[in-house]
Amino acid sequence: MNLSKRRAGVAAIGCIAGLSLVLAACGGDDDDSANGTAAAENGDDADDTDTDPDEDDTDGADDPGDCAAYEQYGDLSGTTVHVYTSIVAPEDLAHIESYKPFEECTGATINYEGSGEFEAQLTVRVRGGNAPDIAYFPQPGLLETVVQDTGSVQSLAGTLAEEYTDLHFAEEWKELGTVDGTFYASPIGANVKSFVWYSPSMFADAGYEIPETWDEMLTLSDQIVADGNGKPWCAGIGSGDATGWPATDWMEDVMLRMHGPDVYDQWMNHDIPFNDPQVAEVLAAVGDILKNDDYVNGGLGDVRSIAATEFQAGGLPILDGNCWMHRQASFYQVNFTEAGATVAPDGDVYAFYLPPMGDDFGNPVLGGGEFAAAFDDRPEVQAFQAFLASPEWANLKAIEGNWISANTGLDLENVDTEINRLSVEILQDPETIFRFDASDLMPGEVGAGSFWTEMTNWIANDKPDDEVLDAIESSWPQ
Amino acid sequence: MTTTPTPPVVPADTAAIPRQLTAAERRAAAARAKLSSPWASAVAIVIALVWTIPTIGLLVSSFRPQQSINTSGWWTWFTNPEFTFANYDEVLFGARESFSTYFINSIVITLPAVVIPITLALLAAYAFAWIDFKGRDILFVAVFALQIVPLQVALIPLMQQYVRWEIAGSFWTVWLSHSIFALPLATFLLHNFMKDIPPSLVEAARVDGAGHVKIFFRVLLPLLVPAIAAFGIFQFLWVWNDLLVALTFAGGTPNVAPLTARLAELAGSRGEAWHLLTAGAFVAMIVPLVVFLALQRYFVRGLLSGGVKG
């Protein structure tokens, strides 16, 4: 009784205070209608919020009209949920802001902690008995390890979070949060990796067209060389302990395009050996670009400079006009904006979809994403877990800027940049063949080990293709 | 001069103890003569320069605009000087939680984590050096042997213990952990310093009727100031620069996280803001630098008095 009275009170206050905003939401408890309105109304200020987070703070928090969507979580006053993630400042601010409506409406406090040492520290904390309530896993491979090693991850079977995941995410996304048949982690954010960054003005001035097929892309590269416009491609695979991963993304993208999703899955699951002729073909195709001294490394040096360049700096020569194309994920736009460039079709830099190699496999997309798993089943933790899988949160988070999700309830209106809208369209398109970054799903010894180091060797020491593939194959755990 | 430091406060009757040059002192004198030759000085200056170059590079970089940091090396600054405080501004005031919070956290963590082990180790060292009890040598070797246990293996058991005591996530965990990890070395070093004090000094005090407490405070403590300062600097730098212990036990939330935790995430989730690291490093360096410069007199003396005497 007490609870429902309180909720009714909150709802009433919400109706009065948010009069101008969402009358409709107060009337119905239907989830979708509430979402739709919230999304539409939030969409209005989407443009200014990403430049000024503080302003959005007041907007979002004092917006009790949204509370109708939170009634299902009940009254959680006085409870605290501890969230542990690998996302650190300044990106953490957007996360913290996006929880505000949940905190306002349910009374729960969300304690956010981000750490660059997430992967190492999480295991220590779980084993030490000090596990966070919810952790954001940057890759499903780590989730699997933690589930199998510690057994402390809560199954989401039968929870509201599972219901929301079923409702709002494609089956393949739920599959990624499932270990050994049990659903553990709901998807949160996503990114699309199959992009080639370029400068629209450079292309326009030189009269180049955006390539529609792989062959056109290679023809364009040759054309750039022939025109004496420098080297068409730039790349950087340096990334501290993870040096080499951008090169593995190249292979994955080409694998998807050359042999299609089925062979991709076989390759990822080791149903075909790593030194299979099909894989060798892929590596050779990547080598045609990355190890071609005519093509790389624009503005940075020769082939070897790819290994010496940090991935953060790998695409920046585009801004100086020294490089024409850079294959990197959607999240790379941060690096361009940090460097003072505008990312837009008519701006300094933009991206096109990495073209397909043929018509056989449609437009496959390589991507990544984060997943939220819980280490506790207290009601407030379950409620927050469900909230993370809900379209409300996806929209709230998208409004904070530079973030997308595969949540089908995510309204394009709320997505801030052109490249992010393009990414969401690709992710939500039912025709899209989406595949998760394979190296994140391979066993750690390979996906976060030999695959990285051997690709680095391949570039830095000019190690031959077959030796690289043999070395990775022999490192695959039996 | 080079060995036992002149005690700041010495009882009058113990001040004039006749001394002869020991073999070690003669060797030290010979070494000093060799080391102060012009050639040695030249080599020392070259080494000092070479070692300082990376730091100078960092300093120069920290004042360069982001675009330049991203695209060219710091040495290009000399041909193309640019100057901006933007990096420092961003580091100090750019984040959700201001840098000062972490600064204060670091101080709150560091002071007890230096005082606690020194206090305990002084008492333990006194007992090991001047109180004769059964099994003293074995116990001392055991304490010393603890040094070789890497702290990493203790992380998870300690964590479990803290969770049981319900102090996980508080400053106590960091203070206790740093004290635990520091004690073996602290006890060993201070014991050696205490052992170096001539037994006749302690015996004389005892004859005059001083008990353990009086001997400890009135006779030994004044003589140990350089040793305490030297170890204090060691421990201070170690705790101030520590990331692992703080991150594991206290966590990265702004109410307990030290400066190093903030510094570690300064570059952003994907390293897109790494140009801030140079400025961040210099801000974090100020306190240890001040402490070191203020106490370096003791530091050098403490090292020498430990090393030259047998």
Side-chain angles (χ1 to χ4, degrees), chain A residues 35-53:
Chain A
N35 293 335
T37 340
E41 151 243 324
N42 284 327
D44 295 336
D45 51 20
D47 286 330
D48 56 348
T49 45
D50 61 302
T51 52
D52 188 355

Side-chain angles (χ1 to χ4, degrees), chain A residues 159-178:
Chain A
T159 63
L160 192 59
E162 182 177 36
E163 192 182 311
Y164 278 177
T165 309
D166 287 337
L167 269 176
H168 303 296
F169 287 92
E171 183 57 32
E172 52 204 340
W173 279 90
K174 187 184 177 190
E175 205 51 51
L176 289 165
T178 303

Side-chain angles (χ1 to χ4, degrees), chain A residues 40-327:
Chain A
E41 151 243 324
N42 284 327
D44 295 336
D45 51 20
D47 286 330
D48 56 348
T49 45
D50 61 302
T51 52
D52 188 355
D54 289 330
E55 186 185 336
D56 184 65
D57 170 9
T58 47
D59 277 6
D62 299 342
D63 197 355
D66 283 342
C67 276
Y70 299 89
E71 282 195 26
Q72 53 184 322
Y73 303 126
D75 180 13
L76 303 170
S77 298
T79 58
T80 303
V81 179
H82 182 194
V83 178
Y84 190 45
T85 82
S86 58
I87 301 151
V88 300
E91 288 91 354
D92 61 343
L93 195 67
H95 273 275
I96 293 160
E97 292 295 330
S98 70
Y99 310 145
K100 285 257 162 74
F102 180 86
E103 293 179 289
E104 297 279 324
C105 293
T106 63
T109 310
I110 310 298
N111 242 341
Y112 181 95
E113 180 186 352
S115 169
E117 309 295 319
F118 172 83
E119 300 191 8
Q121 289 293 324
L122 181 69
T123 331
V124 174
R125 289 200 185 182
V126 173
R127 294 225 172 112
N130 194 28
D133 292 326
I134 287 183
Y136 291 1
F137 287 85
Q139 41 165 291
L142 181 66
L143 172 74
E144 192 177 328
T145 314
V146 172
V147 165
Q148 289 169 348
D149 286 4
T150 69
S152 319
V153 184
Q154 298 287 326
S155 161
L156 295 183
T159 63
L160 192 59
E162 182 177 36
E163 192 182 311
Y164 278 177
T165 309
D166 287 337
L167 269 176
H168 303 296
F169 287 92
E171 183 57 32
E172 52 204 340
W173 279 90
K174 187 184 177 190
E175 205 51 51
L176 289 165
T178 303
V179 179
D180 301 333
T182 313
F183 178 54
Y184 285 107
S186 53
I188 337 174
N191 59 63
V192 173
K193 300 202 175 192
S194 303
F195 280 126
V196 179
W197 294 92
Y198 72 105
S199 161
S201 57
M202 276 168 74
F203 268 54
D205 290 348
Y208 298 146
E209 295 285 323
I210 303 227
E212 301 281 333
T213 68
W214 192 269
D215 289 337
E216 278 181 38
M217 192 168 76
L218 294 183
T219 314
L220 172 65
S221 305
D222 289 333
Q223 166 114 38
I224 291 169
V225 176
D227 291 353
N229 282 330
K231 295 180 176 178
W233 291 90
C234 49
I237 62 166
S239 180
D241 296 344
T243 293
W245 69 259
T248 69
D249 283 3
W250 264 99
M251 265 196 84
E252 291 153 8
D253 249 332
V254 174
M255 173 63 90
L256 268 179
R257 281 161 180 73
M258 191 179 268
H259 298 298
D262 292 337
V263 178
Y264 183 89
D265 290 343
Q266 291 168 11
W267 172 56
M268 182 177 86
N269 296 323
H270 208 223
D271 295 335
I272 57 170
F274 214 105
N275 48 9
D276 190 270
Q278 296 178 99
V279 186
E281 259 181 88
V282 169
L283 187 61
V286 177
D288 285 344
I289 295 176
L290 284 190
K291 286 180 82 169
N292 185 335
D293 264 321
D294 292 336
Y295 283 5
V296 293
N297 194 8
L300 295 165
D302 58 3
V303 168
R304 277 158 204 240
S305 69
I306 293 176
T309 305
E310 291 295 306
F311 85 92
Q312 293 95 339
L316 298 182
I318 293 179
L319 303 180
D320 313 326
N322 292 327
C323 164
W324 293 82
M325 290 180 280
H326 176 64
R327 196 220 71 98

Side-chain angles (χ1 to χ4, degrees), chain A residues 91 113 130 312 338-339, chain B residues 66-67 96 159 252 270 272:
Chain A
E91 288 91 354
E113 180 186 352
N130 194 28
Q312 293 95 339
E338 273 278 324
Chain B
Q66 179 192 357
Q67 188 70 44
R96 165 172 58 106
M159 189 77 174
R270 296 199 173 84
E272 68 277 1

Side-chain angles (χ1 to χ4, degrees), chain B residues 273-289:
Chain B
W274 64 271
H275 62 280
L276 295 178
L277 289 176
T278 51
F282 270 93
V283 174
M285 220 191 258
I286 291 171
V287 172
L289 210 61

Side-chain angles (χ1 to χ4, degrees), chain B residues 59-288:
Chain B
L59 185 66
V60 170
S61 274
S62 70
F63 289 109
R64 299 176 74 213
Q66 179 192 357
Q67 188 70 44
S68 312
I69 295 181
N70 281 344
T71 50
S72 60
W74 59 271
W75 49 90
T76 55
W77 182 84
F78 295 105
T79 50
N80 176 28
E82 294 163 294
F83 189 83
T84 172
F85 275 114
N87 299 332
Y88 285 93
D89 190 51
E90 178 70 23
V91 165
L92 291 174
F93 310 110
R96 165 172 58 106
E97 203 68 46
S98 77
F99 219 63
S100 58
T101 314
Y102 298 96
F103 225 98
I104 291 167
N105 283 347
S106 264
I107 293 171
V108 170
I109 286 176
T110 308
L111 291 183
V114 173
V115 172
I116 295 173
I118 289 184
T119 314
L120 292 178
L122 271 173
L123 299 177
Y126 179 81
F128 280 128
W130 298 112
I131 301 176
D132 233 343
F133 57 91
K134 226 176 156 213
R136 183 175 74 168
D137 290 343
I138 292 178
L139 200 59
F140 183 67
V141 169
V143 168
F144 181 58
L146 281 179
Q147 261 198 98
I148 59 171
V149 179
L151 68 89
Q152 284 83 353
V153 305
L155 290 181
I156 289 176
L158 262 181
M159 189 77 174
Q160 287 167 337
Q161 199 57 51
Y162 293 145
V163 170
R164 234 170 280 145
W165 289 341
E166 295 182 354
I167 55 170
S170 71
F171 282 123
W172 278 107
T173 57
V174 193
W175 294 335
L176 285 175
S177 310
H178 278 304
S179 302
I180 293 167
F181 296 138
L183 269 174
L185 184 66
T187 312
F188 175 73
L189 281 181
L190 292 176
H191 167 268
N192 286 0
F193 284 121
M194 283 213 198
K195 258 305 204 208
D196 282 350
I197 294 165
S200 51
L201 209 63
V202 178
E203 277 153 25
R206 218 172 270 157
V207 168
D208 285 349
H212 283 310
V213 175
K214 201 160 204 173
I215 293 175
F216 179 75
F217 281 109
R218 301 290 297 276
V219 180
L220 294 178
L221 212 52
L223 292 172
L224 282 171
V225 168
I228 295 172
F231 182 76
I233 296 179
F234 262 134
Q235 177 70 358
F236 177 88
L237 291 179
W238 162 252
V239 175
W240 186 270
N241 290 329
D242 163 76
L243 176 66
L244 178 71
V245 173
L247 210 56
T248 308
F249 296 119
T253 47
N255 55 334
V256 285
L259 210 53
T260 44
R262 171 75 191 114
L263 213 53
E265 59 185 48
L266 203 55
S269 308
R270 296 199 173 84
E272 68 277 1
W274 64 271
H275 62 280
L276 295 178
L277 289 176
T278 51
F282 270 93
V283 174
M285 220 191 258
I286 291 171
V287 172

